[in-house]
Amino acid sequence: MGYFSAIACFRIAVATLVLIDFCCVFYELKIFASDQAILPLGLGLIQTEYHTLLSPLYTFMTDHNLSITVFMTAVSILYLLALVFCILGFHTRKSFFTALILQLLIFRSIPNFNYGYDSFITMSFFYCLLFPVGTEYALDSYRKGENRSRRKMPSRYFSLPFYLKTHLCIVYFVSGLSKVLDPNWWDGNAIWRAYDDLSPALYVPPFLLATLSLSVVSIELLYSFLVCTKFRKVYGSRYGSHPFGHRDIFGAVFLCSSCV
Amino acid sequence: MLAKAHYLIHFGVIFLVSLSAVLNSYLMHKKIKAGNLSALNHFIERSVVDNPVYHAYSIFTGTNNGYGFYGINVATYKYFSVELYDRDKKCIAKTHTFGFKKQNNLARFEVLASRIANYIADNEEFPKEGDKELLKARKLYVNEIFKHIGLYEKEVGIYKSLALSY
């Protein structure tokens, strides 16, 4: 698969995953962000770095009796529309810019319900904005009628796969480093804690937990080196699909990044 | 040249900030407040993390986090549970799903439970010589969170559905 096709696949995969996930959030948006939300948005923003950015907006809305439910619903519908445009590759850069801003507005308004996945999505949108992901499998390519043979391969330092590879190397290395510094990862205790919602009927022998723990640490620390070898694809796909508790969608984003 | 400069600065800063986050967790876990590692961490935080230009850039690029997934001192699974009692102290309703029908959304909600658990643990270990008003505000914040979650169940969630079914 060529460079432009590969980065177009990344665009479609990421935007589709986000669309699926956001449809779930939209279904129960009123619990997260509305006038009847489980936590008032202002309270949720305290103690976060987004307080100074977003709190004035919601204070203004509350002071002027403007409905947060209507605002959030409108923003969410725009976001869904932007995601569909991103998948189709219609005005790709503008669509990704809009999606990025709306994603920040929606999810940073509810920072207590965010996890690493949301930052990865922001990062993926930023890379899709930076790189020409709308040159293949996109309405833009038909609309502009660009000559494919004139496209130039970018330099090594400005290619999406190289950016993603470097980013994942840092992510896995730092994650492995933090694990190796904790003795709980040496004896399997940490992996037991992470999965302690397993049924009590399921007994996992300590040696198996220790082996699993050490394997995770080794895989993460060695990722940066092995990703440069011929095992990259298998390695990336296998490790990219590892479960983050109940957060399978997070694993799916890693899988997308690993496969490009 | 510009592309190379962006690549090096972008990933250099990400690596530095991630390393600082790991270092910070390690120092907090080991309760180390002085020494070379602590000084290095303070230097990175003051020169990079607290820089307003980096701050805006990191929010826009989604790089304002540490990547120490399940790293130092892995926490156990946390969740909120609300029980409603009548005047005879009889439990009339109980929930830990808060009306969430999608597993994905419940997983998001459980992030708050983990954060609040960490927050309570930090409050309990708050230094005795620390700012008393700050500790008071932190405890008030935790109480407010619990109050709103409890009230939500009373006004919107299970209690309301019980009242409607009678």
Side-chain angles (χ1 to χ4, degrees):
Chain A
M1 187 183 276
Y3 170 76
F4 292 102
S5 304
I7 64 172
C9 287
F10 177 74
R11 178 199 89 224
I12 295 166
V14 164
T16 307
L17 271 175
V18 177
L19 185 68
I20 294 167
D21 178 64
F22 191 69
C23 283
C24 266
V25 174
F26 188 60
Y27 181 73
E28 288 167 334
L29 190 68
K30 68 174 188 298
I31 307 180
F32 289 124
S34 70
D35 296 311
Q36 287 187 316
I38 200 158
L39 279 188
L41 294 185
L43 181 66
L45 285 166
I46 297 175
Q47 309 285 347
T48 71
E49 57 188 316
Y50 313 108
H51 183 255
T52 47
L53 288 171
L54 294 168
S55 219
L57 172 70
Y58 295 114
T59 309
F60 175 84
M61 290 182 72
T62 313
D63 291 349
H64 292 80
N65 289 326
L66 299 170
S67 169
I68 293 173
T69 311
V70 173
F71 174 73
M72 273 297 173
T73 309
V75 169
S76 302
I77 291 169
L78 276 176
Y79 183 51
L80 285 170
L81 206 63
L83 289 174
V84 172
F85 282 3
C86 291
I87 295 169
L88 296 174
F90 183 65
H91 289 281
T92 316
R93 279 223 157 93
K94 287 174 201 159
S95 301
F96 269 110
F97 181 75
T98 311
L100 177 54
I101 298 296
L102 294 177
Q103 195 255 0
L104 286 173
L105 182 60
I106 297 166
F107 287 96
R108 300 310 180 257
S109 295
I110 47 169
N112 282 316
F113 308 121
N114 285 191
Y115 54 101
Y117 162 81
D118 298 297
S119 295
F120 260 81
I121 292 307
T122 312
M123 175 207 90
S124 303
F125 282 174
F126 173 70
Y127 289 153
C128 286
L129 184 66
L130 203 63
F131 295 97
V133 293
T135 47
E136 286 281 347
Y137 313 130
L139 291 177
D140 279 350
S141 60
Y142 296 103
R143 200 168 56 85
K144 291 175 184 169
E146 199 184 349
N147 189 347
R148 289 182 184 189
S149 59
R150 283 189 180 178
R151 281 184 203 147
K152 284 182 183 172
M153 277 294 288
S155 77
R156 182 182 171 79
Y157 290 103
F158 200 68
S159 82
L160 181 57
F162 195 55
Y163 260 62
L164 288 175
K165 198 196 280 183
T166 313
H167 207 127
L168 286 181
C169 283
I170 294 174
V171 170
Y172 285 130
F173 178 75
V174 172
S175 182
L177 186 69
S178 70
K179 287 178 178 66
V180 89
L181 288 173
D182 186 358
N184 288 313
W185 275 98
W186 291 90
D187 57 11
N189 192 15
I191 220 157
W192 177 246
R193 284 191 199 179
Y195 284 93
D196 74 342
D197 56 332
L198 289 171
S199 160
L202 183 67
Y203 171 74
V204 184
F207 78 90
L208 187 61
L209 286 171
T211 313
L212 283 171
S213 277
L214 291 171
S215 308
V216 170
V217 175
S218 314
I219 288 169
E220 290 195 338
L221 284 175
L222 291 174
Y223 181 87
S224 313
F225 305 102
L226 291 178
V227 81
C228 301
T229 66
K230 62 181 178 181
F231 301 110
R232 181 172 69 92
K233 292 282 178 191
V234 179
Y235 193 92
S237 308
R238 283 283 172 210
Y239 196 62
S241 59
H242 84 119
F244 280 82
H246 299 297
R247 293 154 196 166
D248 301 337
I249 197 115
F250 198 0
V253 173
F254 268 72
L255 184 63
C256 289
S257 306
S258 305
C259 287
V260 175
Chain B
M1 187 63 197
L2 195 67
K4 195 172 179 177
H6 179 257
Y7 174 85
L8 292 173
I9 294 169
H10 180 71
F11 289 111
V13 169
I14 290 173
F15 185 68
L16 216 57
V17 171
S18 307
L19 210 59
S20 164
V22 170
L23 210 57
N24 199 32
S25 301
Y26 178 75
L27 294 171
M28 278 175 72
H29 181 55
K30 295 281 177 189
K31 295 186 176 122
I32 301 169
K33 287 179 182 168
N36 291 341
L37 279 178
S38 188
L40 175 70
N41 192 40
H42 276 295
F43 174 74
I44 297 172
E45 280 184 352
R46 281 176 62 185
S47 53
V48 183
V49 182
D50 295 340
N51 184 308
V53 177
Y54 164 75
H55 188 65
Y57 179 78
S58 68
I59 290 176
F60 189 69
T61 54
T63 52
N64 53 339
N65 56 4
Y67 305 128
F69 307 119
Y70 293 95
I72 296 165
N73 198 18
V74 177
T76 49
Y77 175 60
K78 307 280 190 315
Y79 62 93
F80 286 109
S81 179
V82 171
E83 293 177 356
L84 295 175
Y85 292 85
D86 65 8
R87 66 180 65 179
D88 301 322
K89 294 181 181 172
K90 186 184 160 197
C91 183
I92 51 169
K94 187 179 177 180
T95 184
H96 68 275
T97 57
F98 298 87
F100 283 109
K101 291 183 178 65
K102 304 285 178 191
Q103 184 65 42
N104 221 17
N105 292 338
L106 189 59
R108 276 188 183 279
F109 184 63
E110 283 163 0
V111 173
L112 177 66
S114 296
R115 286 204 180 145
I116 292 300
N118 290 342
Y119 211 78
I120 293 169
D122 288 346
N123 282 353
E124 282 171 6
E125 288 177 11
F126 198 80
K128 283 179 184 167
E129 67 279 9
D131 188 346
K132 296 273 187 296
E133 286 300 309
L134 178 64
L135 181 62
K136 202 173 153 188
R138 288 175 64 96
K139 285 182 175 172
L140 184 66
Y141 176 70
V142 173
N143 286 344
E144 282 293 309
I145 297 277
F146 279 114
K147 188 181 88 182
H148 276 94
I149 290 168
L151 279 175
Y152 178 83
E153 276 312 306
K154 182 176 170 286
E155 289 166 6
V156 183
I158 43 175
Y159 187 77
K160 194 177 177 187
S161 54
L162 272 175
L164 286 172
S165 65
Y166 283 126

